[in-house]
Amino acid sequence: MNADISTLKSLLSKGLYLDNLNEMIEICNRIIAQVAEPLPVYVLLSIFYDIYLSWDERFLPVEEIKQTESLFLPSLKGIITLIETSDDKSKLWNALNDLTKAYVSWVKREM
Amino acid sequence: MNEKEHKIMDVNKQIFNNNPFLFESVMEKAMYNKDYYKYSLLEKIKKEALEIGTGRVLSSGKKSDYYIDGKMVTLDSEGSFLTAKVIFDMIEPIDFDAIGGLTLGADPIVAALALFGYINKRPIQTFIVRKEPKKHGTMKLIEGKLVQGSKVIIVDDVVTTGKSILQAIDVVKQEKCEVVKIIVLVDRQEGAREKFNSLGYEFEPIFTKEDLGITNEC
């Protein structure tokens, strides 16, 4: 699992784009099957998947990608670090709530 | 076709527009001229599918100054016919059992080919490979009839690096199928040919980005 987490972090550092999202979805699927508490990874997976579906088959403006990245990347990176260290559950819970809020605002923007 | 022939074709098109009575007899002759359909398809792609704009990003994350929305042609009545006709002529000499590709690009192409094949008394078995970023694990990824061990042709509207097509190939290979050819409407010439060749696949784009008049990219 550790190798998958570090690959996920490395992919995330490259930003969000379709091929990258696809790879991160595959990795999340692998991690889910290995961890005792899969909920945080499932949230990540669902968000990657929804962004993928929204961007697929489109000629995306750089601006839209930047906006999405600034909305999601800080929370996503924070959550991955918390999953990796798994030391503070309440921090993880708060981070998941922040990510979900970001998702809700992204969905509103997409509509 | 060379530049001179393109110009002749342009003049012919203008004549058609101004003299509708000429259209039928000239069309009859053109029915036997494969280049006419290919040229018309190219013109349609240039006119309706090609988007020029800076600051856009492709699925690979790479920036691009142009985009080809193949569906603007393959989902159009005339475009659908032209695509089917041109591909039908290309595949006529090939020994194959089925044609398919990755959704969404391949969907209208294979549907047009299925209909065109039937009308021309050569029914074509088609299939679609779902583009599922593996969220749900092992689910059915092939729609349509694809018999195990079939010889298949893979089609798509636009190819960039070839990743989508290889995704479709992975799925059909799980069904023990043999890929006998890959055909695309437009090759953006960003490594797909080299990738396919290195894997031993025969690749034939109908057009390349150069045919569309695109020479430089950001």
Side-chain angles (χ1 to χ4, degrees):
Chain A
M1 187 190 94
N2 287 343
D4 278 335
I5 292 277
S6 60
T7 311
L8 198 57
K9 281 167 91 172
S10 144
L11 288 170
L12 209 53
S13 70
K14 292 178 189 165
L16 301 175
Y17 52 90
L18 276 183
D19 290 349
N20 212 20
L21 287 162
N22 203 359
E23 278 190 58
M24 291 194 286
I25 289 165
E26 284 187 37
I27 292 171
C28 285
N29 265 315
R30 278 207 301 272
I31 299 174
I32 276 185
Q34 298 167 37
V35 293
E37 295 176 347
L39 179 63
V41 184
Y42 181 75
V43 174
L44 298 185
L45 169 64
S46 298
I47 285 171
F48 292 147
Y49 188 69
D50 281 357
I51 299 172
Y52 180 94
L53 289 182
S54 164
W55 287 0
D56 191 21
E57 303 279 348
R58 285 178 55 204
F59 191 26
L60 279 171
V62 174
E63 202 47 46
E64 187 177 337
I65 293 176
K66 279 185 180 165
Q67 282 175 5
T68 308
E69 284 178 341
S70 68
L71 196 61
F72 285 116
L73 282 182
S75 304
L76 287 168
K77 286 176 181 169
I79 288 170
I80 290 168
T81 305
L82 286 166
I83 291 171
E84 195 177 22
T85 53
S86 66
D87 53 356
D88 192 333
K89 290 282 185 297
S90 68
K91 260 191 189 170
L92 182 59
W93 182 253
N94 290 337
L96 284 171
N97 274 319
D98 288 343
L99 180 63
T100 308
K101 281 177 198 165
Y103 172 76
V104 172
S105 105
W106 177 75
V107 169
K108 277 184 190 162
R109 204 184 282 180
E110 290 286 293
M111 284 165 74
Chain B
M1 271 194 290
N2 59 34
E3 199 180 336
K4 192 180 168 191
E5 287 166 331
H6 274 276
K7 278 181 185 162
I8 292 169
M9 201 63 86
D10 279 335
V11 171
N12 283 343
K13 276 199 155 184
Q14 283 167 18
I15 293 169
F16 290 158
N17 290 337
N18 297 329
N19 303 278
F21 295 111
L22 272 179
F23 184 79
E24 210 169 300
S25 64
V26 177
M27 270 305 285
E28 204 173 307
K29 285 174 193 162
M31 287 291 279
Y32 300 99
N33 183 355
K34 290 174 186 173
D35 277 349
Y36 172 78
Y37 294 99
K38 204 171 167 182
Y39 172 79
S40 302
L41 183 58
L42 177 62
E43 289 303 298
K44 201 157 184 69
I45 291 169
K46 280 184 187 171
K47 196 175 159 195
E48 292 173 30
L50 184 62
E51 285 179 44
I52 308 287
T54 53
R56 302 293 180 116
V57 178
L58 300 170
S59 62
S60 59
K62 193 182 165 195
K63 285 184 188 166
S64 174
D65 280 345
Y66 77 98
Y67 179 71
I68 301 152
D69 187 353
K71 289 172 291 299
M72 295 304 285
V73 169
T74 56
L75 285 170
D76 168 271
S77 279
E78 185 194 15
S80 170
F81 164 76
L82 291 170
T83 304
K85 168 69 180 156
V86 171
I87 296 179
F88 190 79
D89 289 339
M90 288 166 80
I91 63 177
E92 238 181 343
I94 303 173
D95 174 26
F96 71 97
D97 304 305
I99 295 184
L102 197 70
T103 195
L104 201 57
D107 300 0
I109 299 175
V110 300
L113 279 166
L115 177 63
F116 196 88
Y118 182 77
I119 291 169
N120 285 280
K121 298 185 171 46
R122 186 185 171 178
I124 297 172
Q125 185 58 54
T126 61
F127 64 91
I128 290 165
V129 178
R130 283 177 178 271
K131 189 191 285 181
E132 196 64 41
K134 295 184 183 170
K135 190 185 181 190
H136 307 292
T138 52
M139 60 183 293
K140 185 189 171 196
L141 287 176
I142 295 175
E143 299 295 340
K145 259 188 271 172
L146 181 63
V147 178
Q148 276 205 348
S150 295
K151 288 180 181 173
V152 302
I153 294 173
I154 301 291
V155 290
D156 208 341
D157 52 2
V158 181
V159 68
T160 306
T161 60
K163 207 166 182 173
S164 296
I165 287 177
L166 290 175
Q167 211 175 320
I169 289 176
D170 277 350
V171 175
V172 299
K173 280 178 84 175
Q174 282 167 26
E175 297 299 318
K176 298 177 174 54
C177 293
E178 180 196 349
V179 177
V180 293
K181 194 164 191 122
I182 299 165
I183 295 174
V184 298
L185 218 51
V186 182
D187 177 12
R188 292 183 57 115
Q189 295 172 294
E190 288 180 40
R193 175 180 288 280
E194 293 74 14
K195 203 174 281 176
F196 297 148
N197 287 347
S198 73
L199 293 166
Y201 298 120
E202 196 183 319
F203 172 59
E204 189 173 359
I206 301 171
F207 305 111
T208 64
K209 75 170 183 183
E210 282 168 7
D211 294 322
L212 302 183
I214 296 158
T215 48
N216 295 316
E217 264 225 86
C218 63

